[in-house]
Amino acid sequence: MKAVIEITYLVSSILFIFGIKKLASPKTARQGNFLAAVGMFLAIVATLLDQNVLTYEWIIIGSIIGALVGAIMAIKVPMTGMPQMVGLLNGFGGGASTLVALSEYFRKNPNYPVDTGAAFTLPIDQGIAIILSLLIGGVTFTGSLIAFGKLQGIVTGKVVKYPLQHPINLLLVIAVLVAGAYVIINPDSLGLLLIITAVSLVLGVLLVLPIGGADMPVAISLLNSYSGLAASTTGFVLGNNELIIAGALVGASGIILTIIMCKGMNRSLMNVVMGGWASAGTTGPATTTSPKGQVKSIDTEELAMLLDAVSSVIIVPGYGMAVAQAQHAIRDLMNVLEKKGVNVRFAIHPVAGRMPGHMNVLLAEAQVPYDKLYAMEDINDDFPNTDVVIVVGANDVVNPAARHDQNSPIYGMPILNVDYAKTVIINKRSLNVGYAGIDNELFFYPNALMYFGDAKEAITKLVNELKASS
Amino acid sequence: MEEYLFLMHIYVFVLAIFVGFELITKVPPTLHTPLMSGSNAISGITIVGAILSAGMEQFNVSTILGLVAVIFAMINVVGGFLVTDRMLKMFKKK
């Protein structure tokens, strides 16, 4: 039976690998997700056959509750709420790892629940695994809850600074490791183990609280990676290769996404984790010398007339599109322009939105074909040959100051070169600054026209005007 | 052999990280959100540990912790795979 179980775990691991492999193309991605789900099902069945599983009632009750809650969340969540959803799911994974580590600690104790007088020894490798499980799992759990709160608007999305932020966090990590070493040597120290758990939970809050709203793509990716590593450490606790493999795959995935997000902002991971642009943000608006000049605006009728005579349009969506839920209006705009024979494409900056690929999911929801969405590096050279660029709810990622103004806090960040197009239309509610807290000099460029208004309302008005004129 | 077991697990872990890097770098940016939620569901593999904890014979602190762990991990697994499928259904070519 043991061999059957182990082979099933192996098959399940292979299904996970094939599942992720099929995510390389939108055509096979759905099938890949299904394969991974089958792998998970096999792993669960194999575990139920394990000789250490003696009673089933708690497993069944827990599974039903968990499956119901998970299914309801998955069906109810709107596409704009996807970053929160992923944040929350990360947290549950981390929380499960913490709980399993604690449970294993009790199970290994020969004097629990009945004192047998036997000496409690914890093999050093399992001890290390339990402590790391508690630390990573705990940080992932509360860190994800804070990230969820920030994205949902329950916790402030601003950069939160507290005194001695970095020394305190460093001290807490060291404290957990030292206390952990003590517990491994003296496994009977239950109180200390619980303190380690509590400190890990506090650490998760302290680490994510300082991270600002627009840095959430990095935070969510990093927590994603942690949730994988937490699963791996649980694998070390149990001596189970499948958990180690699956956790490592997820850990690698999260790290790669984190690196991509950091590159998209031209910032180091350290810089983001430490609380971001805040240092620049507080002094930025005052010191940056942005060229003030005449901002020109355009109304719906004029814009419709302008768009009547063009052959190519690139739409640049940003977080503002998600906030205004304007993705359906933008799809209508695409349709009406295409009917007039205009070539319409979308340019997606890697950090647009609140998580990796956020814009792509919203546009897919609005039935914009994915082959119309272009990554920054694939479309940036096409802007000079483009008649009109329409920027909807994006700001810092189209600020030309990133290319030339060495004093700008976003200097060096890769941007979409929308200013090279013949005309740039910027849809925004006001001239307010973006996340980096700096003015956007693009608004003052001679080829830039502001189209003021809420994204959904303004684009819908534009679509109606275009329909009426054709 | 027993004392090398931990080392074997480290082996597996390191090799799996390399496999992960190879696989994930091939996922296009347009699928990064489903990649996250899908990989997230896979990290719900902790359900294995949770089941082992919850399935012990006598009912004690260990089993209670296991029960809550099963609930958490199951939310992660079911929620993750379902929401990923919901998203991927929407990705269509022209």
Side-chain angles (χ1 to χ4, degrees), chain A residues 30 33 54-55 74-75 77 90 103 107 112 241 250 356-357 360 369-370, chain B residues 9 28 30-31 33 39-40 53 55-56 61-62 76 81 85-86 89 92:
Chain A
R30 208 175 159 205
N33 185 54
L54 300 166
T55 56
I75 293 164
V77 63
N90 277 334
S103 173
R107 186 149 79 142
Y112 187 85
N241 275 329
V250 180
N360 306 72
Y370 64 79
Chain B
H9 290 320
T30 200
L31 290 178
T33 296
S39 63
N40 203 301
S53 298
M56 274 176 287
V61 177
S62 255
N76 198 181
F81 283 124
D85 187 65
R86 213 184 118 198
K89 251 196 296 200
K92 291 205 179 76

PDB file of all heavy atoms in Angstrom, chain A residues 30 33 54-55 74-75 77 90 103 107 112 241 250 356-357 360 369-370, chain B residues 9 28 30-31 33 39-40 53 55-56 61-62 76 81 85-86 89 92:
ATOM      1  N   ARG A  30      -6.372  26.264 -19.938  1.00  0.00           N
ATOM      2  CA  ARG A  30      -7.500  25.742 -19.176  1.00  0.00           C
ATOM      3  C   ARG A  30      -7.335  24.252 -18.904  1.00  0.00           C
ATOM      4  O   ARG A  30      -7.603  23.762 -17.812  1.00  0.00           O
ATOM      5  CB  ARG A  30      -8.787  25.992 -19.958  1.00  0.00           C
ATOM      6  CG  ARG A  30      -9.959  26.127 -19.044  1.00  0.00           C
ATOM      7  CD  ARG A  30     -11.225  26.488 -19.747  1.00  0.00           C
ATOM      8  NE  ARG A  30     -12.334  26.109 -18.884  1.00  0.00           N
ATOM      9  CZ  ARG A  30     -13.545  25.842 -19.318  1.00  0.00           C
ATOM     10  NH1 ARG A  30     -13.816  25.932 -20.597  1.00  0.00           N
ATOM     11  NH2 ARG A  30     -14.487  25.500 -18.475  1.00  0.00           N
ATOM     12  N   ASN A  33      -4.787  23.797 -16.116  1.00  0.00           N
ATOM     13  CA  ASN A  33      -5.376  23.994 -14.790  1.00  0.00           C
ATOM     14  C   ASN A  33      -6.158  22.746 -14.363  1.00  0.00           C
ATOM     15  O   ASN A  33      -6.114  22.331 -13.215  1.00  0.00           O
ATOM     16  CB  ASN A  33      -6.288  25.229 -14.821  1.00  0.00           C
ATOM     17  CG  ASN A  33      -6.845  25.574 -13.463  1.00  0.00           C
ATOM     18  OD1 ASN A  33      -6.109  25.744 -12.511  1.00  0.00           O
ATOM     19  ND2 ASN A  33      -8.177  25.658 -13.371  1.00  0.00           N
ATOM     20  N   LEU A  54      -6.865   7.422  10.544  1.00  0.00           N
ATOM     21  CA  LEU A  54      -7.688   6.405  11.197  1.00  0.00           C
ATOM     22  C   LEU A  54      -9.151   6.804  11.272  1.00  0.00           C
ATOM     23  O   LEU A  54     -10.041   5.980  11.258  1.00  0.00           O
ATOM     24  CB  LEU A  54      -7.157   6.148  12.608  1.00  0.00           C
ATOM     25  CG  LEU A  54      -5.695   5.661  12.614  1.00  0.00           C
ATOM     26  CD1 LEU A  54      -5.103   5.735  14.003  1.00  0.00           C
ATOM     27  CD2 LEU A  54      -5.610   4.241  12.076  1.00  0.00           C
ATOM     28  N   THR A  55      -9.410   8.095  11.377  1.00  0.00           N
ATOM     29  CA  THR A  55     -10.797   8.540  11.431  1.00  0.00           C
ATOM     30  C   THR A  55     -11.049   9.532  10.312  1.00  0.00           C
ATOM     31  O   THR A  55     -10.157  10.268   9.909  1.00  0.00           O
ATOM     32  CB  THR A  55     -11.112   9.239  12.765  1.00  0.00           C
ATOM     33  OG1 THR A  55     -10.180  10.300  12.920  1.00  0.00           O
ATOM     34  CG2 THR A  55     -11.011   8.294  13.929  1.00  0.00           C
ATOM     35  N   ALA A  74     -14.936  31.696  -5.186  1.00  0.00           N
ATOM     36  CA  ALA A  74     -14.482  31.652  -6.587  1.00  0.00           C
ATOM     37  C   ALA A  74     -15.582  32.072  -7.549  1.00  0.00           C
ATOM     38  O   ALA A  74     -15.321  32.688  -8.581  1.00  0.00           O
ATOM     39  CB  ALA A  74     -13.996  30.247  -6.931  1.00  0.00           C
ATOM     40  N   ILE A  75     -16.843  31.745  -7.208  1.00  0.00           N
ATOM     41  CA  ILE A  75     -17.948  32.063  -8.123  1.00  0.00           C
ATOM     42  C   ILE A  75     -18.381  33.523  -7.963  1.00  0.00           C
ATOM     43  O   ILE A  75     -18.705  34.191  -8.928  1.00  0.00           O
ATOM     44  CB  ILE A  75     -19.130  31.105  -7.873  1.00  0.00           C
ATOM     45  CG1 ILE A  75     -18.724  29.684  -8.285  1.00  0.00           C
ATOM     46  CG2 ILE A  75     -20.368  31.539  -8.642  1.00  0.00           C
ATOM     47  CD1 ILE A  75     -19.623  28.594  -7.739  1.00  0.00           C
ATOM     48  N   VAL A  77     -16.607  36.235  -6.698  1.00  0.00           N
ATOM     49  CA  VAL A  77     -15.666  37.348  -6.812  1.00  0.00           C
ATOM     50  C   VAL A  77     -15.746  38.000  -8.201  1.00  0.00           C
ATOM     51  O   VAL A  77     -15.759  37.312  -9.217  1.00  0.00           O
ATOM     52  CB  VAL A  77     -14.216  36.875  -6.518  1.00  0.00           C
ATOM     53  CG1 VAL A  77     -13.750  35.842  -7.526  1.00  0.00           C
ATOM     54  CG2 VAL A  77     -13.255  38.052  -6.496  1.00  0.00           C
ATOM     55  N   ASN A  90      -3.634  33.021  -0.877  1.00  0.00           N
ATOM     56  CA  ASN A  90      -2.255  32.886  -0.385  1.00  0.00           C
ATOM     57  C   ASN A  90      -2.280  32.697   1.120  1.00  0.00           C
ATOM     58  O   ASN A  90      -1.581  31.854   1.675  1.00  0.00           O
ATOM     59  CB  ASN A  90      -1.449  34.160  -0.657  1.00  0.00           C
ATOM     60  CG  ASN A  90      -0.891  34.196  -2.056  1.00  0.00           C
ATOM     61  OD1 ASN A  90      -0.667  33.168  -2.664  1.00  0.00           O
ATOM     62  ND2 ASN A  90      -0.652  35.386  -2.561  1.00  0.00           N
ATOM     63  N   SER A 103       0.404  21.118  14.735  1.00  0.00           N
ATOM     64  CA  SER A 103      -0.208  19.816  14.977  1.00  0.00           C
ATOM     65  C   SER A 103       0.851  18.714  15.017  1.00  0.00           C
ATOM     66  O   SER A 103       0.812  17.831  15.869  1.00  0.00           O
ATOM     67  CB  SER A 103      -1.234  19.541  13.870  1.00  0.00           C
ATOM     68  OG  SER A 103      -1.720  18.247  13.975  1.00  0.00           O
ATOM     69  N   ARG A 107       1.932  16.002  17.879  1.00  0.00           N
ATOM     70  CA  ARG A 107       1.894  14.572  17.572  1.00  0.00           C
ATOM     71  C   ARG A 107       3.223  13.895  17.933  1.00  0.00           C
ATOM     72  O   ARG A 107       3.254  12.746  18.329  1.00  0.00           O
ATOM     73  CB  ARG A 107       1.602  14.381  16.092  1.00  0.00           C
ATOM     74  CG  ARG A 107       1.407  12.934  15.733  1.00  0.00           C
ATOM     75  CD  ARG A 107       0.450  12.792  14.612  1.00  0.00           C
ATOM     76  NE  ARG A 107       1.082  13.083  13.337  1.00  0.00           N
ATOM     77  CZ  ARG A 107       0.790  12.396  12.237  1.00  0.00           C
ATOM     78  NH1 ARG A 107      -0.081  11.416  12.288  1.00  0.00           N
ATOM     79  NH2 ARG A 107       1.349  12.698  11.112  1.00  0.00           N
ATOM     80  N   TYR A 112       2.066  13.851  25.208  1.00  0.00           N
ATOM     81  CA  TYR A 112       0.821  14.535  24.938  1.00  0.00           C
ATOM     82  C   TYR A 112      -0.128  13.597  24.216  1.00  0.00           C
ATOM     83  O   TYR A 112       0.290  12.943  23.269  1.00  0.00           O
ATOM     84  CB  TYR A 112       1.063  15.798  24.105  1.00  0.00           C
ATOM     85  CG  TYR A 112      -0.185  16.587  23.957  1.00  0.00           C
ATOM     86  CD1 TYR A 112      -0.565  17.494  24.945  1.00  0.00           C
ATOM     87  CD2 TYR A 112      -1.037  16.351  22.892  1.00  0.00           C
ATOM     88  CE1 TYR A 112      -1.765  18.159  24.843  1.00  0.00           C
ATOM     89  CE2 TYR A 112      -2.230  17.011  22.803  1.00  0.00           C
ATOM     90  CZ  TYR A 112      -2.585  17.908  23.770  1.00  0.00           C
ATOM     91  OH  TYR A 112      -3.769  18.554  23.695  1.00  0.00           O
ATOM     92  N   ASN A 241       7.822  14.090  -0.388  1.00  0.00           N
ATOM     93  CA  ASN A 241       8.422  14.718  -1.572  1.00  0.00           C
ATOM     94  C   ASN A 241       7.442  15.528  -2.400  1.00  0.00           C
ATOM     95  O   ASN A 241       7.802  16.535  -2.987  1.00  0.00           O
ATOM     96  CB  ASN A 241       9.057  13.651  -2.465  1.00  0.00           C
ATOM     97  CG  ASN A 241      10.461  13.321  -2.019  1.00  0.00           C
ATOM     98  OD1 ASN A 241      11.160  14.177  -1.487  1.00  0.00           O
ATOM     99  ND2 ASN A 241      10.878  12.082  -2.214  1.00  0.00           N
ATOM    100  N   VAL A 250       5.710  26.486  -6.896  1.00  0.00           N
ATOM    101  CA  VAL A 250       4.981  27.717  -6.597  1.00  0.00           C
ATOM    102  C   VAL A 250       5.947  28.803  -6.095  1.00  0.00           C
ATOM    103  O   VAL A 250       5.839  29.969  -6.469  1.00  0.00           O
ATOM    104  CB  VAL A 250       3.876  27.461  -5.545  1.00  0.00           C
ATOM    105  CG1 VAL A 250       3.130  28.737  -5.243  1.00  0.00           C
ATOM    106  CG2 VAL A 250       2.919  26.405  -6.036  1.00  0.00           C
ATOM    107  N   PRO A 356       0.142  41.083 -11.170  1.00  0.00           N
ATOM    108  CA  PRO A 356       0.630  40.749 -12.511  1.00  0.00           C
ATOM    109  C   PRO A 356      -0.517  40.276 -13.402  1.00  0.00           C
ATOM    110  O   PRO A 356      -1.306  39.439 -12.992  1.00  0.00           O
ATOM    111  CB  PRO A 356       1.613  39.597 -12.250  1.00  0.00           C
ATOM    112  CG  PRO A 356       2.010  39.718 -10.831  1.00  0.00           C
ATOM    113  CD  PRO A 356       0.847  40.325 -10.119  1.00  0.00           C
ATOM    114  N   GLY A 357      -0.624  40.853 -14.598  1.00  0.00           N
ATOM    115  CA  GLY A 357      -1.644  40.414 -15.547  1.00  0.00           C
ATOM    116  C   GLY A 357      -3.052  40.897 -15.254  1.00  0.00           C
ATOM    117  O   GLY A 357      -4.014  40.457 -15.880  1.00  0.00           O
ATOM    118  N   ASN A 360      -4.982  42.309 -18.272  1.00  0.00           N
ATOM    119  CA  ASN A 360      -5.320  41.278 -19.255  1.00  0.00           C
ATOM    120  C   ASN A 360      -6.585  40.527 -18.858  1.00  0.00           C
ATOM    121  O   ASN A 360      -7.419  40.212 -19.706  1.00  0.00           O
ATOM    122  CB  ASN A 360      -4.159  40.289 -19.376  1.00  0.00           C
ATOM    123  CG  ASN A 360      -2.847  40.993 -19.674  1.00  0.00           C
ATOM    124  OD1 ASN A 360      -2.294  41.657 -18.804  1.00  0.00           O
ATOM    125  ND2 ASN A 360      -2.382  40.883 -20.878  1.00  0.00           N
ATOM    126  N   PRO A 369     -10.205  40.182 -27.479  1.00  0.00           N
ATOM    127  CA  PRO A 369      -9.364  39.023 -27.804  1.00  0.00           C
ATOM    128  C   PRO A 369      -7.940  39.224 -27.291  1.00  0.00           C
ATOM    129  O   PRO A 369      -7.392  40.320 -27.391  1.00  0.00           O
ATOM    130  CB  PRO A 369      -9.373  38.996 -29.337  1.00  0.00           C
ATOM    131  CG  PRO A 369     -10.516  39.852 -29.754  1.00  0.00           C
ATOM    132  CD  PRO A 369     -10.736  40.850 -28.670  1.00  0.00           C
ATOM    133  N   TYR A 370      -7.343  38.153 -26.742  1.00  0.00           N
ATOM    134  CA  TYR A 370      -6.037  38.337 -26.106  1.00  0.00           C
ATOM    135  C   TYR A 370      -4.937  38.655 -27.106  1.00  0.00           C
ATOM    136  O   TYR A 370      -3.895  39.168 -26.749  1.00  0.00           O
ATOM    137  CB  TYR A 370      -5.664  37.132 -25.236  1.00  0.00           C
ATOM    138  CG  TYR A 370      -5.486  35.822 -25.963  1.00  0.00           C
ATOM    139  CD1 TYR A 370      -4.309  35.553 -26.648  1.00  0.00           C
ATOM    140  CD2 TYR A 370      -6.475  34.848 -25.947  1.00  0.00           C
ATOM    141  CE1 TYR A 370      -4.129  34.355 -27.304  1.00  0.00           C
ATOM    142  CE2 TYR A 370      -6.309  33.647 -26.605  1.00  0.00           C
ATOM    143  CZ  TYR A 370      -5.131  33.400 -27.286  1.00  0.00           C
ATOM    144  OH  TYR A 370      -4.970  32.213 -27.938  1.00  0.00           O
TER     145      TYR A 370
ATOM    146  N   HIS B   9      15.678  14.998   0.474  1.00  0.00           N
ATOM    147  CA  HIS B   9      14.585  15.973   0.344  1.00  0.00           C
ATOM    148  C   HIS B   9      15.115  17.305  -0.168  1.00  0.00           C
ATOM    149  O   HIS B   9      14.479  17.961  -0.989  1.00  0.00           O
ATOM    150  CB  HIS B   9      13.884  16.165   1.695  1.00  0.00           C
ATOM    151  CG  HIS B   9      13.084  14.975   2.119  1.00  0.00           C
ATOM    152  ND1 HIS B   9      12.336  14.238   1.239  1.00  0.00           N
ATOM    153  CD2 HIS B   9      12.913  14.388   3.325  1.00  0.00           C
ATOM    154  CE1 HIS B   9      11.750  13.249   1.886  1.00  0.00           C
ATOM    155  NE2 HIS B   9      12.090  13.308   3.160  1.00  0.00           N
ATOM    156  N   PRO B  28       3.349  33.498 -20.714  1.00  0.00           N
ATOM    157  CA  PRO B  28       3.293  34.877 -21.221  1.00  0.00           C
ATOM    158  C   PRO B  28       2.639  35.827 -20.207  1.00  0.00           C
ATOM    159  O   PRO B  28       1.804  35.390 -19.404  1.00  0.00           O
ATOM    160  CB  PRO B  28       2.424  34.747 -22.477  1.00  0.00           C
ATOM    161  CG  PRO B  28       1.567  33.562 -22.215  1.00  0.00           C
ATOM    162  CD  PRO B  28       2.392  32.613 -21.390  1.00  0.00           C
ATOM    163  N   THR B  30       0.303  37.832 -20.369  1.00  0.00           N
ATOM    164  CA  THR B  30      -1.153  37.923 -20.419  1.00  0.00           C
ATOM    165  C   THR B  30      -1.800  36.898 -19.472  1.00  0.00           C
ATOM    166  O   THR B  30      -2.928  37.080 -19.012  1.00  0.00           O
ATOM    167  CB  THR B  30      -1.654  37.758 -21.878  1.00  0.00           C
ATOM    168  OG1 THR B  30      -2.959  38.288 -21.965  1.00  0.00           O
ATOM    169  CG2 THR B  30      -1.665  36.320 -22.325  1.00  0.00           C
ATOM    170  N   LEU B  31      -1.063  35.829 -19.141  1.00  0.00           N
ATOM    171  CA  LEU B  31      -1.622  34.788 -18.260  1.00  0.00           C
ATOM    172  C   LEU B  31      -1.064  34.859 -16.842  1.00  0.00           C
ATOM    173  O   LEU B  31      -1.202  33.910 -16.068  1.00  0.00           O
ATOM    174  CB  LEU B  31      -1.341  33.400 -18.853  1.00  0.00           C
ATOM    175  CG  LEU B  31      -2.107  33.053 -20.119  1.00  0.00           C
ATOM    176  CD1 LEU B  31      -1.711  31.682 -20.642  1.00  0.00           C
ATOM    177  CD2 LEU B  31      -3.612  33.072 -19.865  1.00  0.00           C
ATOM    178  N   THR B  33      -1.981  36.537 -14.159  1.00  0.00           N
ATOM    179  CA  THR B  33      -2.952  36.423 -13.067  1.00  0.00           C
ATOM    180  C   THR B  33      -3.447  34.986 -12.891  1.00  0.00           C
ATOM    181  O   THR B  33      -3.404  34.459 -11.776  1.00  0.00           O
ATOM    182  CB  THR B  33      -4.136  37.400 -13.272  1.00  0.00           C
ATOM    183  OG1 THR B  33      -3.626  38.722 -13.211  1.00  0.00           O
ATOM    184  CG2 THR B  33      -5.172  37.231 -12.184  1.00  0.00           C
ATOM    185  N   SER B  39      -1.168  28.522  -9.472  1.00  0.00           N
ATOM    186  CA  SER B  39      -0.051  28.016  -8.664  1.00  0.00           C
ATOM    187  C   SER B  39      -0.437  28.077  -7.191  1.00  0.00           C
ATOM    188  O   SER B  39      -0.054  27.237  -6.385  1.00  0.00           O
ATOM    189  CB  SER B  39       1.219  28.813  -8.937  1.00  0.00           C
ATOM    190  OG  SER B  39       1.072  30.151  -8.559  1.00  0.00           O
ATOM    191  N   ASN B  40      -1.227  29.102  -6.877  1.00  0.00           N
ATOM    192  CA  ASN B  40      -1.757  29.234  -5.521  1.00  0.00           C
ATOM    193  C   ASN B  40      -2.545  28.003  -5.103  1.00  0.00           C
ATOM    194  O   ASN B  40      -2.391  27.477  -4.002  1.00  0.00           O
ATOM    195  CB  ASN B  40      -2.708  30.425  -5.570  1.00  0.00           C
ATOM    196  CG  ASN B  40      -2.896  31.024  -4.243  1.00  0.00           C
ATOM    197  OD1 ASN B  40      -3.337  30.336  -3.341  1.00  0.00           O
ATOM    198  ND2 ASN B  40      -2.532  32.264  -4.104  1.00  0.00           N
ATOM    199  N   SER B  53      -3.078  15.243   9.871  1.00  0.00           N
ATOM    200  CA  SER B  53      -3.270  15.771  11.226  1.00  0.00           C
ATOM    201  C   SER B  53      -4.690  15.549  11.729  1.00  0.00           C
ATOM    202  O   SER B  53      -4.904  15.257  12.904  1.00  0.00           O
ATOM    203  CB  SER B  53      -2.961  17.276  11.254  1.00  0.00           C
ATOM    204  OG  SER B  53      -1.624  17.509  10.910  1.00  0.00           O
ATOM    205  N   GLY B  55      -6.767  13.256  10.803  1.00  0.00           N
ATOM    206  CA  GLY B  55      -7.256  11.878  10.755  1.00  0.00           C
ATOM    207  C   GLY B  55      -6.766  10.984  11.865  1.00  0.00           C
ATOM    208  O   GLY B  55      -6.929   9.773  11.804  1.00  0.00           O
ATOM    209  N   MET B  56      -6.154  11.584  12.881  1.00  0.00           N
ATOM    210  CA  MET B  56      -5.653  10.749  13.970  1.00  0.00           C
ATOM    211  C   MET B  56      -6.795  10.205  14.808  1.00  0.00           C
ATOM    212  O   MET B  56      -7.865  10.798  14.875  1.00  0.00           O
ATOM    213  CB  MET B  56      -4.695  11.549  14.840  1.00  0.00           C
ATOM    214  CG  MET B  56      -3.292  11.507  14.278  1.00  0.00           C
ATOM    215  SD  MET B  56      -2.195  12.521  15.217  1.00  0.00           S
ATOM    216  CE  MET B  56      -2.711  14.124  14.723  1.00  0.00           C
ATOM    217  N   VAL B  61      -5.776  18.228  20.709  1.00  0.00           N
ATOM    218  CA  VAL B  61      -5.368  19.501  20.110  1.00  0.00           C
ATOM    219  C   VAL B  61      -4.883  19.309  18.670  1.00  0.00           C
ATOM    220  O   VAL B  61      -5.207  20.075  17.773  1.00  0.00           O
ATOM    221  CB  VAL B  61      -4.250  20.154  20.958  1.00  0.00           C
ATOM    222  CG1 VAL B  61      -3.771  21.431  20.293  1.00  0.00           C
ATOM    223  CG2 VAL B  61      -4.752  20.460  22.356  1.00  0.00           C
ATOM    224  N   SER B  62      -4.116  18.248  18.459  1.00  0.00           N
ATOM    225  CA  SER B  62      -3.587  17.960  17.124  1.00  0.00           C
ATOM    226  C   SER B  62      -4.691  17.841  16.071  1.00  0.00           C
ATOM    227  O   SER B  62      -4.591  18.386  14.978  1.00  0.00           O
ATOM    228  CB  SER B  62      -2.796  16.656  17.151  1.00  0.00           C
ATOM    229  OG  SER B  62      -1.430  16.906  17.105  1.00  0.00           O
ATOM    230  N   ASN B  76      -8.237  27.029  -0.158  1.00  0.00           N
ATOM    231  CA  ASN B  76      -7.150  27.327  -1.074  1.00  0.00           C
ATOM    232  C   ASN B  76      -7.252  26.503  -2.362  1.00  0.00           C
ATOM    233  O   ASN B  76      -7.165  27.029  -3.475  1.00  0.00           O
ATOM    234  CB  ASN B  76      -5.828  27.035  -0.340  1.00  0.00           C
ATOM    235  CG  ASN B  76      -4.630  27.694  -0.994  1.00  0.00           C
ATOM    236  OD1 ASN B  76      -3.510  27.540  -0.533  1.00  0.00           O
ATOM    237  ND2 ASN B  76      -4.840  28.408  -2.066  1.00  0.00           N
ATOM    238  N   PHE B  81      -8.473  26.595  -7.879  1.00  0.00           N
ATOM    239  CA  PHE B  81      -8.688  25.954  -9.183  1.00  0.00           C
ATOM    240  C   PHE B  81      -9.938  26.498  -9.867  1.00  0.00           C
ATOM    241  O   PHE B  81      -9.943  26.736 -11.080  1.00  0.00           O
ATOM    242  CB  PHE B  81      -8.784  24.428  -9.028  1.00  0.00           C
ATOM    243  CG  PHE B  81      -7.452  23.760  -8.841  1.00  0.00           C
ATOM    244  CD1 PHE B  81      -7.195  22.952  -7.751  1.00  0.00           C
ATOM    245  CD2 PHE B  81      -6.434  23.938  -9.780  1.00  0.00           C
ATOM    246  CE1 PHE B  81      -5.959  22.338  -7.583  1.00  0.00           C
ATOM    247  CE2 PHE B  81      -5.189  23.335  -9.618  1.00  0.00           C
ATOM    248  CZ  PHE B  81      -4.961  22.525  -8.509  1.00  0.00           C
ATOM    249  N   ASP B  85     -10.052  28.567 -13.429  1.00  0.00           N
ATOM    250  CA  ASP B  85     -10.827  28.078 -14.568  1.00  0.00           C
ATOM    251  C   ASP B  85     -11.773  29.157 -15.073  1.00  0.00           C
ATOM    252  O   ASP B  85     -11.919  29.366 -16.279  1.00  0.00           O
ATOM    253  CB  ASP B  85     -11.623  26.826 -14.170  1.00  0.00           C
ATOM    254  CG  ASP B  85     -12.306  26.199 -15.366  1.00  0.00           C
ATOM    255  OD1 ASP B  85     -11.583  25.723 -16.261  1.00  0.00           O
ATOM    256  OD2 ASP B  85     -13.552  26.208 -15.424  1.00  0.00           O
ATOM    257  N   ARG B  86     -12.385  29.876 -14.127  1.00  0.00           N
ATOM    258  CA  ARG B  86     -13.318  30.944 -14.503  1.00  0.00           C
ATOM    259  C   ARG B  86     -12.603  32.005 -15.338  1.00  0.00           C
ATOM    260  O   ARG B  86     -13.137  32.512 -16.324  1.00  0.00           O
ATOM    261  CB  ARG B  86     -13.877  31.571 -13.217  1.00  0.00           C
ATOM    262  CG  ARG B  86     -15.304  32.044 -13.348  1.00  0.00           C
ATOM    263  CD  ARG B  86     -15.742  32.738 -12.091  1.00  0.00           C
ATOM    264  NE  ARG B  86     -16.071  34.119 -12.377  1.00  0.00           N
ATOM    265  CZ  ARG B  86     -16.162  35.056 -11.448  1.00  0.00           C
ATOM    266  NH1 ARG B  86     -15.946  34.766 -10.185  1.00  0.00           N
ATOM    267  NH2 ARG B  86     -16.466  36.285 -11.772  1.00  0.00           N
ATOM    268  N   LYS B  89     -11.434  30.607 -18.922  1.00  0.00           N
ATOM    269  CA  LYS B  89     -12.560  30.473 -19.845  1.00  0.00           C
ATOM    270  C   LYS B  89     -12.737  31.741 -20.681  1.00  0.00           C
ATOM    271  O   LYS B  89     -13.240  31.701 -21.789  1.00  0.00           O
ATOM    272  CB  LYS B  89     -13.842  30.239 -19.039  1.00  0.00           C
ATOM    273  CG  LYS B  89     -14.380  28.844 -19.162  1.00  0.00           C
ATOM    274  CD  LYS B  89     -15.813  28.755 -18.685  1.00  0.00           C
ATOM    275  CE  LYS B  89     -15.946  29.057 -17.204  1.00  0.00           C
ATOM    276  NZ  LYS B  89     -17.166  28.554 -16.578  1.00  0.00           N
ATOM    277  N   LYS B  92     -10.051  34.486 -25.005  1.00  0.00           N
ATOM    278  CA  LYS B  92     -10.395  33.999 -26.336  1.00  0.00           C
ATOM    279  C   LYS B  92      -9.631  34.767 -27.394  1.00  0.00           C
ATOM    280  O   LYS B  92      -9.365  35.956 -27.250  1.00  0.00           O
ATOM    281  CB  LYS B  92     -11.899  34.163 -26.569  1.00  0.00           C
ATOM    282  CG  LYS B  92     -12.710  33.227 -25.718  1.00  0.00           C
ATOM    283  CD  LYS B  92     -14.056  32.929 -26.338  1.00  0.00           C
ATOM    284  CE  LYS B  92     -14.822  31.962 -25.460  1.00  0.00           C
ATOM    285  NZ  LYS B  92     -15.386  32.646 -24.267  1.00  0.00           N
TER     286      LYS B  92
END
